[in-house]
Amino acid sequence: MAAKSSDLKLLGGWFSPFASRVKIALNIKGLEYKNIEEDLNSKSDFLLRSNPVHKKIPVLIHGDKPICESLVIVQYIDEVWSNGPSILPRDAYDRTIARFWGSYIDDKFLVCMKNILMAAGDEEEKKRHLEQLEEEVLVTLEEAFNKCSEGKSFFGGNKIGFIDIAFGSFLPFLRVFEEMNGRKILVADKFPELVNWATNFVEYSTVTGTLPEIDKLVLFTTALQEKWAAAKVAAK
Amino acid sequence: MAAKSSDLKLLGGWFSPFASRVKIALNIKGLEYKNIEEDLNSKSDFLLRSNPVHKKIPVLIHGDKPICESLVIVQYIDEVWSNGPSILPRDAYDRTIARFWGSYIDDKFLVCMKNILMAAGDEEEKKRHLEQLEEEVLVTLEEAFNKCSEGKSFFGGNKIGFIDIAFGSFLPFLRVFEEMNGRKILVADKFPELVNWATNFVEYSTVTGTLPEIDKLVLFTTALQEKWAAAKVAAK
């Protein structure tokens, strides 16, 4: 099924790892789309109508049908444009492994990152979550890489797939954390495979241009933290 | 693909809504399996080896391959035994809707239920989460039912499907909450469709025998709450 750019619209945001996932999936399939930047401080009626339950980006609009939740969207793209390069593996068991790690990344990695961001100002709390990220979550993902990649460059083998997209979309935020903390988290002596993978991922043709710039994201994240901190004070 | 009972083993627990999901999916496909009850206070080596990341039930063992995470398992069963009655819709967009609600149920409904359980002793906290469950989550699911069922008995139409399984597996815990709180939560004047659906669901042939008995589950839940409360005190 071919798609004209008028068929596909993405309600996203330049800073959003979840929107990046969708952009990468669309690139893999060679699909054109209209990118619509949402202002989260003043969400459009189109977004609120398209995702009335969560009111969140990204939403992919295919014709007049809205699809929500980034990993659900990626699977939809893979299934509808099944003639293009596959994103999830063709084998049912391998697909299961991909879904398992997709869910791990959103449950563990994402929650750790959120906890670190939201702990701003509470150094003890931040240290605890950073430790969990480094000693548990990234260690587990390094092991997962060894099992899934079978000696190739990506979780998906020779080309990027579902797990690469799910995890790789967070790499810019990981860099931001490193900048803000003044030290590297993804270091080669602890995570040799993931360090190589990260370099390969961000340079991959279908990823280029889908990830936010680090400097811009540092400013964005700092502002976000300040907003959360103010909300915390106001709630007390 | 036919399955002998020796091909399929389920590492589960009678009390677990997540194990119930897998049992229902196996029943829908008419698959025989060996049910292995895990003792969560003393997990078997088989479980720890089969799900080394989360160390949690349920795990479906197909041949010698372990599959973890209940909704991932349900999708695996649907895809491998695709000749049997379908669990996810055949249409890609409808499948997306099913996945969206599956994720909503695990994100919102499950988290609400956990928060209520863990708030035991803190009446203010419990009230807040109960309100969210009744005024937000169940209201949203009642609306979802109206859209998905198209006037039929189930989210999946005339027969139970992915959303029915994801949500219906929690019905026994909802009953337990009602017992423990001394009042109904799922009431017909607020949730007419869900009340009907719940009755139809628990009486459905492929569901019978997969859900825990309420009296037994009340005792189980009470013990769990006491364990959590003791852990909370110990952590202070």
Side-chain angles (χ1 to χ4, degrees):
Chain A
M1 198 188 297
K4 290 175 291 181
S5 59
S6 58
D7 281 347
L8 288 168
K9 294 181 193 75
L10 174 62
L11 309 185
W14 63 270
F15 52 84
S16 164
F18 307 105
S20 296
R21 290 172 171 179
V22 180
K23 290 174 187 171
I24 298 167
L26 291 165
N27 284 350
I28 289 176
K29 298 287 184 179
L31 297 167
E32 293 177 18
Y33 61 97
K34 181 173 179 184
N35 184 55
I36 301 170
E37 286 286 310
E38 280 289 333
D39 173 1
L40 296 194
N41 294 315
S42 165
K43 296 177 181 174
S44 73
D45 284 346
F46 192 22
L47 173 61
L48 300 179
R49 268 200 323 273
S50 302
N51 190 357
V53 173
H54 297 302
K55 304 175 177 63
K56 281 182 181 168
I57 58 163
V59 182
L60 181 71
I61 316 281
H62 182 200
D64 58 358
K65 288 177 177 167
I67 303 123
C68 308
E69 298 279 301
S70 64
L71 292 185
V72 173
I73 302 174
V74 171
Q75 288 185 77
Y76 176 79
I77 292 169
D78 196 37
E79 292 177 359
V80 170
W81 290 276
S82 54
N83 290 337
S86 61
I87 297 172
L88 281 109
R90 302 272 186 204
D91 174 78
Y93 185 71
D94 293 341
R95 217 154 43 235
T96 286
I97 302 294
R99 288 189 183 123
F100 174 87
W101 287 112
S103 151
Y104 180 86
I105 288 157
D106 278 1
D107 285 351
K108 300 289 178 179
F109 185 82
L110 173 59
V111 169
C112 249
M113 302 261 283
K114 267 193 189 162
N115 286 338
I116 296 169
L117 268 180
M118 297 189 79
D122 184 337
E123 288 304 313
E124 266 306 300
E125 179 86 354
K126 196 171 101 178
K127 199 178 148 211
R128 204 162 55 81
H129 294 303
L130 255 172
E131 252 175 40
Q132 196 196 354
L133 181 68
E134 293 181 286
E135 307 305 330
E136 182 193 320
V137 179
L138 288 173
V139 169
T140 303
L141 287 167
E142 175 87 3
E143 284 170 17
F145 185 88
N146 281 318
K147 277 187 209 153
C148 296
S149 65
E150 295 179 342
K152 296 178 182 134
S153 299
F154 298 106
F155 284 91
N158 285 323
K159 56 193 191 59
I160 67 168
F162 192 70
I163 309 174
D164 299 286
I165 295 174
F167 186 18
S169 58
F170 287 122
L171 283 174
F173 267 107
L174 203 56
R175 294 282 169 249
V176 166
F177 280 18
E178 292 178 336
E179 290 262 332
M180 291 169 87
N181 287 297
R183 70 171 179 84
K184 285 270 181 197
I185 293 169
L186 210 60
V187 287
D189 58 338
K190 283 177 79 176
F191 310 110
E193 299 292 348
L194 290 184
V195 166
N196 267 339
W197 163 80
T199 308
N200 290 329
F201 181 82
V202 298
E203 290 173 353
Y204 202 69
S205 57
T206 48
V207 175
T208 311
T210 64
L211 302 177
E213 286 168 32
I214 304 304
D215 291 355
K216 219 173 138 191
L217 198 59
V218 169
L219 295 176
F220 175 87
T221 310
T222 309
L224 198 65
Q225 274 189 318
E226 281 165 8
K227 198 173 136 184
W228 283 342
K232 230 192 237 176
V233 171
K236 269 179 190 167
Chain B
M1 199 188 297
K4 288 176 290 179
S5 59
S6 58
D7 282 346
L8 288 168
K9 293 182 195 75
L10 173 62
L11 308 186
W14 63 270
F15 51 84
S16 165
F18 308 105
S20 295
R21 290 172 169 180
V22 180
K23 290 175 188 171
I24 297 167
L26 291 165
N27 283 351
I28 288 176
K29 298 286 182 178
L31 297 166
E32 294 176 17
Y33 61 97
K34 182 173 178 183
N35 185 56
I36 300 170
E37 287 285 311
E38 280 288 332
D39 173 1
L40 296 195
N41 294 316
S42 165
K43 295 176 182 177
S44 73
D45 285 344
F46 193 22
L47 173 61
L48 301 178
R49 268 199 324 273
S50 303
N51 189 358
V53 174
H54 298 301
K55 303 174 178 64
K56 282 182 181 168
I57 59 163
V59 182
L60 181 70
I61 316 282
H62 183 199
D64 57 359
K65 289 177 178 166
I67 303 123
C68 307
E69 298 278 303
S70 63
L71 293 185
V72 173
I73 302 173
V74 171
Q75 288 185 78
Y76 177 79
I77 292 169
D78 196 36
E79 292 176 358
V80 171
W81 289 276
S82 54
N83 290 337
S86 62
I87 297 172
L88 280 110
R90 301 273 186 203
D91 174 77
Y93 185 72
D94 293 342
R95 217 157 39 236
T96 286
I97 301 294
R99 287 189 183 124
F100 174 87
W101 288 113
S103 153
Y104 180 86
I105 287 156
D106 278 1
D107 286 350
K108 300 289 179 179
F109 185 82
L110 174 59
V111 169
C112 249
M113 302 260 284
K114 266 194 188 161
N115 285 339
I116 296 168
L117 267 179
M118 297 191 78
D122 184 338
E123 287 305 314
E124 266 306 301
E125 180 86 353
K126 196 171 100 177
K127 200 179 147 208
R128 203 162 56 81
H129 294 302
L130 255 172
E131 253 175 39
Q132 197 196 353
L133 181 69
E134 292 180 286
E135 307 304 330
E136 181 193 321
V137 179
L138 287 174
V139 168
T140 303
L141 286 168
E142 174 86 3
E143 284 170 15
F145 185 88
N146 281 318
K147 278 187 207 151
C148 296
S149 65
E150 297 179 339
K152 295 175 184 139
S153 299
F154 298 106
F155 284 91
N158 284 323
K159 57 193 191 58
I160 67 169
F162 192 70
I163 310 174
D164 299 286
I165 295 173
F167 186 18
S169 57
F170 288 122
L171 283 173
F173 267 107
L174 203 56
R175 294 282 169 249
V176 165
F177 280 18
E178 292 178 335
E179 290 262 332
M180 291 169 86
N181 287 296
R183 71 172 178 84
K184 284 271 180 195
I185 293 169
L186 209 60
V187 287
D189 58 339
K190 282 178 80 177
F191 310 110
E193 298 292 348
L194 290 183
V195 166
N196 266 338
W197 162 79
T199 308
N200 290 330
F201 181 82
V202 297
E203 289 173 354
Y204 202 69
S205 57
T206 49
V207 175
T208 311
T210 64
L211 302 177
E213 286 167 32
I214 304 303
D215 291 355
K216 221 173 138 189
L217 198 59
V218 169
L219 295 176
F220 175 86
T221 310
T222 309
L224 198 65
Q225 274 189 318
E226 282 165 7
K227 198 173 136 184
W228 283 342
K232 230 191 238 177
V233 170
K236 270 178 189 168

